[in-house]
Amino acid sequence: EMEAKYTRKMQALRDEMDLRRKTEIHELEERKNTQISELMGNHEEAFGAIKNYYNDITAKNLALINLLKEQVEDLKKKEAVLEKEKAEVLLQNKGLTEPLQEAQELVAELQKKLVHYYRDKEALMSSKAHLKITQKELKDLQWEHEVLEQRFSKVQEERDELYQKFTRAINEVQQKTGFKNLLLERKLKGLLDLLEKKEVELSEVLAASNLDPSALSLVTNKLEDVLQSKNATIQDLQFQLARVCKAHNDMLKTFEAKLTAFGIPLDNLGFQPLSFPFPGQ
C-alpha cells in the first residue's frame, strides 16, 4: 500500500513537472517569436534606409557621369573646330606670298593650341580615372563646387574678354606694322637695285666715252653726291623701320603688363606674340 501510495504521488509530481515544463517552453517560444519579429522589423527598416541612401548616391553619381559625358562631347566639338581651323590655316598658307618665316610661326602657334588641347584632354581622362575615388566625397563637396563654379565662370568670362581684346589688338598691329615693314623693305631693295643698275650704266658710259681725267673727276664727284643722297635716304628708311618696330614691341610690353596686372599668365594665351627685330639684329 505504501509503495502504491508513493507511486501515485510520484506520478502526480511527474505530471505536474511535465505541465510546468511545457508551460515554460511555450512561454520561451512566445518570447523567442516576439524577439524574432522585432529583429526582422528592425532589419527591414535598416535595409530600407540603406537602400534609399545608396539609391540617392547612385542617382547623384549618374547625374555626375552625364555631366562629364556632356563635357567630353563639348571637348570633342572643340577638337573638331580646332582641326577645321588648322586645315583652313594650312590651306591659306599655300597661297600666301609672305616670307616663309611668318608662315612657320603661324603653324607653330596652331601647334601650341593643339598641345594645350591635348593637355586638357589628358587632364580630363585623368579626372575620369579619379571619378570612382571622388564619388564618396561628392556629397560633402557639392556646395563648395557650386561656389567655385560660379567664381570660375566669372573669371573665365573676364579672361575670354581680355583675350579677345588682346588678340584683336595684336592682329591689327601686326597687320599694320607687317605691311609697313614690307613696303619699306621693298622700297629699300628697289633703291639698292636702282643704285647697282646706275653704277653699271655709269661704268659702261665711262668706259665708252674715254673722258679726260678732269671730266672723269667731275662725273665721279657728282656720282658721290648722288650716292650720299641715296645713302641718306636709305638711313632715313632704316630709321623709320626701327621706329615702327619699337612702337610694335612697346605695344606688346604694354599688353603683357596689363595681363600681369589682371593676374592672367601669358601661357594661357595659347600663342606667342611676334616681336619684330630691330634693323641690324
Side-chain angles (χ1 to χ4, degrees), residues 9-263:
K9 286 184 179 182
M10 181 65 71
Q11 186 64 36
L13 182 59
R14 183 180 286 110
D15 294 338
E16 183 180 356
M17 295 301 292
D18 288 339
L19 180 60
R20 183 181 298 176
R21 179 178 58 80
K22 291 179 180 180
T23 303
E24 290 178 356
I25 290 173
H26 181 67
E27 290 177 356
L28 287 174
E29 289 180 352
E30 288 181 353
R31 287 198 299 271
K32 180 190 70 175
N33 293 331
T34 302
Q35 291 179 356
I36 290 173
S37 299
E38 291 177 356
L39 288 174
M40 290 179 66
N42 293 334
H43 289 173
E44 289 179 356
E45 184 178 355
F47 178 74
I50 291 174
K51 184 177 180 180
N52 293 330
Y53 172 74
Y54 281 105
N55 285 336
D56 292 339
I57 291 178
T58 303
K60 292 176 181 178
N61 290 338
L62 290 175
L64 179 61
I65 290 172
N66 292 330
L67 178 61
L68 292 176
K69 287 182 178 179
E70 292 177 357
Q71 293 178 357
V72 171
E73 292 296 330
D74 293 338
L75 289 176
K76 288 183 178 179
K77 292 179 181 178
K78 291 180 180 179
E79 181 182 6
V81 172
L82 290 176
E83 291 292 342
K84 185 177 180 181
E85 291 179 356
K86 179 183 176 183
E88 292 177 355
V89 171
L90 291 175
L91 182 62
Q92 292 176 358
N93 287 340
K94 294 180 180 179
L96 292 177
T97 57
E98 296 179 355
L100 179 61
Q101 183 179 0
E102 294 182 1
Q104 291 177 347
E105 291 175 353
L106 182 59
V107 173
E109 291 178 1
L110 293 176
Q111 289 177 349
K112 288 182 180 179
K113 291 182 179 180
L114 288 178
V115 169
H116 285 291
Y117 166 74
Y118 289 133
R119 186 180 303 168
D120 294 337
K121 187 176 180 181
E122 291 177 357
L124 178 61
M125 295 177 65
S126 177
S127 298
K128 290 176 66 178
H130 291 286
L131 177 61
K132 294 182 180 180
I133 300 175
T134 58
Q135 284 177 351
K136 295 180 180 179
E137 303 175 357
L138 178 63
K139 185 176 181 181
D140 296 334
L141 296 176
Q142 280 182 346
W143 182 80
E144 184 179 358
H145 174 72
E146 291 177 359
V147 174
L148 293 177
E149 189 74 21
Q150 293 176 359
R151 292 175 59 189
F152 174 75
S153 299
K154 185 177 180 180
V155 173
Q156 192 175 27
E157 290 176 359
E158 294 177 356
R159 185 203 67 182
D160 293 340
E161 183 179 359
L162 183 60
Y163 172 74
Q164 291 176 359
K165 290 181 180 179
F166 178 75
T167 304
R168 287 197 297 268
I170 287 295
N171 291 333
E172 291 177 359
V173 173
Q174 285 183 351
Q175 289 177 359
K176 292 179 180 179
T177 55
F179 181 71
K180 191 170 183 179
N181 290 342
L182 183 63
L183 291 179
L184 291 175
E185 289 176 357
R186 289 183 178 178
K187 188 174 181 180
L188 180 60
K189 184 178 179 182
L191 291 175
L192 292 175
D193 294 339
L194 181 60
L195 178 60
E196 293 178 357
K197 183 177 180 181
K198 293 298 182 181
E199 288 179 352
V200 173
E201 292 178 355
L202 180 60
S203 299
E204 293 177 355
V205 170
L206 292 176
S209 59
N210 294 323
L211 295 176
D212 57 352
S214 60
L216 182 60
S217 176
L218 179 62
V219 172
T220 303
N221 292 331
K222 290 183 179 180
L223 178 60
E224 289 179 354
D225 294 337
V226 173
L227 289 177
Q228 290 180 357
S229 176
K230 296 299 182 181
N231 289 330
T233 303
I234 292 173
Q235 291 179 357
D236 183 62
L237 291 175
Q238 289 177 346
F239 176 74
Q240 293 180 13
L241 180 61
R243 184 175 57 187
V244 172
C245 292
K246 184 177 183 303
H248 174 76
N249 295 334
D250 292 341
M251 184 275 301
L252 288 181
K253 293 180 181 179
T254 302
F255 274 102
E256 290 176 356
K258 290 294 183 181
L259 290 177
T260 304
F262 280 101

